[in-house]
Amino acid sequence: MENLFGPKLTSQEGEVDTVTALKDKVVGLYFCAYLHPHCRPFTPKLAETYKVLIEQGKNFEIVFVSSDNDDSGFTEYFNSMPWKALPYSERDRKASLSKKFKVSGIPTLVILDPSGAIITKDGRTQIDGDPEGANFPWVPPEVKDVLGTEFMSKDGKTVTLSELEGHHIAVYFSAHWCPPCKTFTPNLAKVYTTLKDKGVKLEIIFASSDKNEEEFDEYYKEMPWLALPYVDRERKLKLSQKFGVTGIPCLVVLGPDLEIVNPNARNRVSNDLEAAEFPWGAKPLINLDEDPSNINDYVSVLFVKGEGMDEGAAKAMMDKLSASGQEYINKAKISKEDPEFMFFFSNSASGKVTSSVIDAMEGAAQADRPVLVVLDIPEGGKYSVVETDNPTPDMIDTVLEDYKAGKLTMKQLN
């Protein structure tokens, strides 16, 4: 835990040793701020659960990671809390924790096991649903436990999970009232039919967010796949929570072993209507203009070819970027965490997404000039351009190491 929080934490009694305070404990990282309207009502609720668990002798501690604007706000808020805190002066460490756990809003409660591994990033929902801590430490259920074993087919018959053995399964969160869903559903149906015609073992299960069963019935007529019965609202809710679904349409792709292949393959499918890239697993190198969905959540390396770059040199760059991307994907699978970096390319600085990124940089790039840039959008929209007119593959490892070591001069995107 010391590598996350540093050697010392703050308590109501003063400074405490991190290792001693958190030894063998489940730890909740509580990201919040004094004046935030959603934090104020949640904090006392969390304090009640904390008190119950401590009285029960549970090995549990919470560390307050403040998003307050100043030390006085932090101090005033922390004085109302019964747990520990990251010292307010550790602003760089706070930023690092926010980035590591991809905190995009507050209050956020991340639950870690004693080794520092993530149990759940959605501790807030767990506290809301289990204020007495009966399910502590809130280990999320396995996919198989929330997916269920029975689904309905188009003809109203029951299809069991055992009948889908060996299949990829995609859970499709969608609704009749959602305009993007109405656009995506026919494309998904086309892809589904294409794969079925090829003999691919794939099944899609519709998890409806429709407002009533009548809307569900009407919408399901457009779909050729299986569905959760509309009345099974609890199963749908648990699936949404399990996969962290915050918007629709969302297509979660599972492998035959029910491991997550892609937490949302919507963009991948939309750009692959021939299903050539099925099952749309993690891609080591992504075309930014086709799928920018991850660039806001990860530190990213972007290579813009430039119209005047030699094709051989461009290919060497692309091969190296792809290899680096695969390396970080493999590391993430072993650690069971998100990849440390994402890798993107664009064929032109005038690409529909790339142009917006380039225009936000100081001194927009020329269309014929290749660009290699590190983007850290999660850290408030920062970037660093490699100063060269001829980027080469060996520069990629160097720029990654320099970023990790804090050696890059990061500028603010406009």
Side-chain angles (χ1 to χ4, degrees), residues 42-105:
F42 182 69
T43 297
K45 185 183 297 186
L46 178 59
E48 284 298 316
T49 302
Y50 177 83
K51 179 181 177 182
V52 168
L53 292 172
I54 297 304
E55 288 176 348
Q56 292 174 353
K58 303 292 187 184
N59 282 337
F60 184 48
E61 189 54 86
I62 293 175
V63 178
F64 170 39
V65 183
S66 172
S67 295
D68 292 295
N69 293 326
D70 53 48
D71 187 54
S72 62
F74 160 78
T75 300
E76 184 173 356
Y77 200 21
F78 181 55
N79 284 342
S80 69
M81 300 175 177
W83 42 69
K84 308 297 187 290
L86 182 75
Y88 186 79
S89 59
E90 294 273 14
R91 294 291 83 193
D92 288 345
R93 196 176 293 276
K94 183 268 177 185
S96 176
L97 289 169
S98 295
K99 183 187 298 184
K100 178 178 178 64
F101 298 109
K102 294 184 171 52
V103 176
S104 58

Side-chain angles (χ1 to χ4, degrees), residues 1-11 16-30 50 54 58-65 83-87 93 97 110 112-116:
M1 292 293 184
E2 187 175 345
N3 63 322
L4 288 176
F5 302 112
K8 300 293 181 181
L9 293 172
T10 300
S11 75
V16 294
D17 181 73
T18 298
V19 173
T20 302
L22 304 183
K23 183 176 175 58
D24 299 327
K25 292 184 178 180
V26 172
V27 176
L29 277 75
Y30 185 36
Y50 177 83
I54 297 304
K58 303 292 187 184
N59 282 337
F60 184 48
E61 189 54 86
I62 293 175
V63 178
F64 170 39
V65 183
W83 42 69
K84 308 297 187 290
L86 182 75
R93 196 176 293 276
L97 289 169
V110 179
L112 306 178
D113 72 14
S115 72

Side-chain angles (χ1 to χ4, degrees), residues 220-345:
Y220 188 41
K221 289 177 183 178
E222 303 174 19
M223 302 176 183
W225 41 70
L226 304 180
L228 301 180
Y230 184 79
V231 295
D232 201 346
R233 296 288 80 196
E234 183 177 357
R235 180 161 41 147
K236 187 268 174 185
L237 175 62
K238 288 181 177 179
L239 283 167
S240 295
Q241 292 174 342
K242 173 64 181 175
F243 298 129
V245 177
T246 58
I248 56 174
C250 178
L251 184 71
V252 180
V253 180
L254 307 173
D257 56 0
L258 299 184
E259 290 292 318
I260 297 174
V261 174
N262 191 325
N264 191 357
R266 172 192 172 187
N267 283 337
R268 292 286 299 279
V269 172
S270 296
N271 290 302
D272 182 31
L273 297 182
E274 299 303 318
E277 297 181 356
F278 173 82
W280 310 294
K283 208 171 182 180
L285 183 60
I286 303 164
N287 187 325
L288 179 63
D289 298 305
E290 292 182 355
D291 184 6
S293 55
N294 285 320
I295 201 161
N296 290 328
D297 300 319
Y298 295 86
V299 179
S300 303
V301 177
L302 170 63
F303 168 57
V304 184
K305 291 182 182 180
E307 297 170 5
M309 190 173 193
D310 175 77
E311 282 300 318
K315 182 179 184 304
M317 284 291 293
M318 297 281 284
D319 288 347
K320 174 59 179 176
L321 287 163
S322 185
S324 296
Q326 191 60 56
E327 177 186 343
Y328 281 97
I329 289 171
N330 293 342
K331 287 180 180 178
K333 287 180 179 178
I334 293 170
S335 66
K336 295 185 178 180
E337 295 186 355
D338 292 328
E340 188 175 2
F341 297 96
M342 298 291 284
F343 295 80
F344 294 86
F345 78 95

Side-chain angles (χ1 to χ4, degrees), residues 164-169 195-196 199-203 256 278:
L164 302 179
E165 185 176 351
H167 286 63
H168 280 79
I169 295 174
L195 289 167
K196 284 290 192 180
V200 174
K201 289 187 174 183
L202 165 70
E203 195 48 74
F278 173 82

Side-chain angles (χ1 to χ4, degrees), residues 171-224:
V171 184
Y172 181 39
F173 297 87
S174 185
H176 186 272
W177 50 261
C178 164
C181 300
K182 296 288 284 183
T183 300
F184 180 65
T185 296
N187 287 335
L188 181 60
K190 176 184 175 183
V191 169
Y192 175 82
T193 301
T194 296
L195 289 167
K196 284 290 192 180
D197 288 346
K198 292 179 179 179
V200 174
K201 289 187 174 183
L202 165 70
E203 195 48 74
I204 296 176
I205 299 167
F206 173 38
S208 172
S209 294
D210 289 300
K211 297 173 183 176
N212 54 58
E213 192 161 7
E214 183 179 356
E215 288 187 1
F216 164 80
D217 290 339
E218 185 66 26
Y219 192 26
Y220 188 41
K221 289 177 183 178
E222 303 174 19
M223 302 176 183

